[in-house]
Amino acid sequence: MGIHPVIGVDVGGSGVKAALVDVERGELVSDRPRLETPQPATPDRVAHTVAQLVDGLGGSSVIGVTVPGVVSTGVVRTAANIDSTWIGTDACGLFSKQLGVPCTVINDADAAGLAEMRFGAGRGRDGVAIMVTLGTGIGSAVFVDGNLVPNTELGHLEFKGQVAEHYAAAAVRKAQHLTWEQWGRRVGHYLTMLTTLFSPELIVVGGGVSRKFDRFADEIAALVPTNTEVVPAALQNRAGIVGAALVAAGDR
């Protein structure tokens, strides 16, 4: 890869995080500052927030940024958990202009999945693997023999009469005051649906809740078929930052 360290920026529905990343080892080599996602999360306001974080880290020759939406050739096509004005925005051009260096932009869950498949829980795994990121919404990244199928957005499938992320996202647990066990059963039912559709050998559970996987793992294990292994993300909520930096360094 040859370029390191590289700044990765992970734009989420509630917070924006960034760090310098050693892209050869998949490790953060700086602090990981975080700022609240501006509301409304318009392109210009998010770009300004990203610039604050990048400036605080001292900059980088290339920068990778994630966004919570479908990204095609640098253009954002959907905006479920950010402002609708992102739709049709040339995000690569926006961030490159704001930051003054070349920027790449990728879906946030795809970035996290790339990091986990290279450095984390999916390393060396063939077959079908799915990463789900549980946060403000549900992101997904699907891999076949280590190759990414981009922009799957499986959190937007209809499930139990509603959008799946409105049923099982981590934010739902807090909003509806669910216990870890109650929420874990919801996640288990959702993951079981994914096993029916894709027959994955591996599901990696990411997002901030991956640090507390043991609090809801039993509920998942009771529901998901035993031929699908379900594990927490090894990089936890650092995965999006690492994946963004990987893509910026030209490795995907």
Side-chain angles (χ1 to χ4, degrees):
M1 289 173 275
I3 303 173
H4 69 91
V6 174
I7 289 180
V9 184
D10 192 8
V11 177
S14 59
V16 183
K17 306 180 292 293
L20 282 160
V21 179
D22 181 329
V23 294
E24 294 180 349
R25 295 184 298 159
E27 296 177 358
L28 305 191
V29 291
S30 74
D31 291 336
R32 186 184 58 182
R34 180 188 185 277
L35 293 173
E36 295 293 312
T37 301
Q39 301 299 328
T42 61
D44 286 343
R45 295 186 71 184
V46 170
H48 178 71
T49 300
V50 169
Q52 289 180 273
L53 292 170
V54 169
D55 288 346
L57 290 167
S60 175
S61 59
V62 291
I63 295 170
V65 185
T66 78
V67 294
V70 170
V71 181
S72 177
T73 61
V75 176
V76 180
R77 304 297 184 187
T78 66
N81 293 303
I82 48 175
D83 195 77
S84 61
T85 53
W86 277 95
I87 298 174
T89 294
D90 176 5
C92 278
L94 171 71
F95 288 118
S96 296
K97 181 179 179 180
Q98 178 75 49
L99 301 174
V101 297
C103 294
T104 60
V105 181
I106 184 173
N107 171 269
D108 56 350
D110 284 350
L114 286 168
E116 283 294 324
M117 293 301 289
R118 178 167 291 274
F119 299 111
R123 185 173 185 175
R125 298 291 291 261
D126 291 326
V128 177
I130 300 175
M131 178 157 187
V132 293
T133 56
L134 304 174
T136 305
I138 296 178
S140 64
V142 176
F143 295 84
V144 181
D145 294 333
N147 298 304
L148 174 67
V149 181
N151 295 312
T152 49
E153 294 288 349
L154 301 180
H156 297 161
L157 290 171
E158 183 177 335
F159 185 61
K160 293 186 178 290
Q162 58 190 308
V163 177
E165 65 180 22
H166 297 165
Y167 175 79
V172 172
R173 183 187 66 83
K174 294 181 179 180
Q176 298 185 14
H177 307 291
L178 302 174
T179 66
W180 284 101
E181 291 77 13
Q182 290 171 324
W183 179 71
R185 284 192 289 274
R186 291 194 180 198
V187 174
H189 285 300
Y190 169 67
L191 297 184
T192 298
M193 176 184 67
L194 296 187
T195 67
T196 300
L197 293 174
F198 297 97
S199 301
E201 284 80 11
L202 176 69
I203 295 177
V204 180
V205 176
V209 294
S210 60
R211 298 192 305 270
K212 300 177 180 178
F213 185 73
D214 60 336
R215 302 189 70 171
F216 58 97
D218 288 347
E219 283 66 38
I220 291 175
L223 293 166
V224 174
T226 55
N227 57 338
T228 297
E229 183 180 5
V230 182
V231 299
L235 301 179
Q236 300 180 343
N237 61 353
R238 305 185 303 277
I241 291 173
V242 172
L246 278 176
V247 176
D251 185 12
R252 59 182 303 171

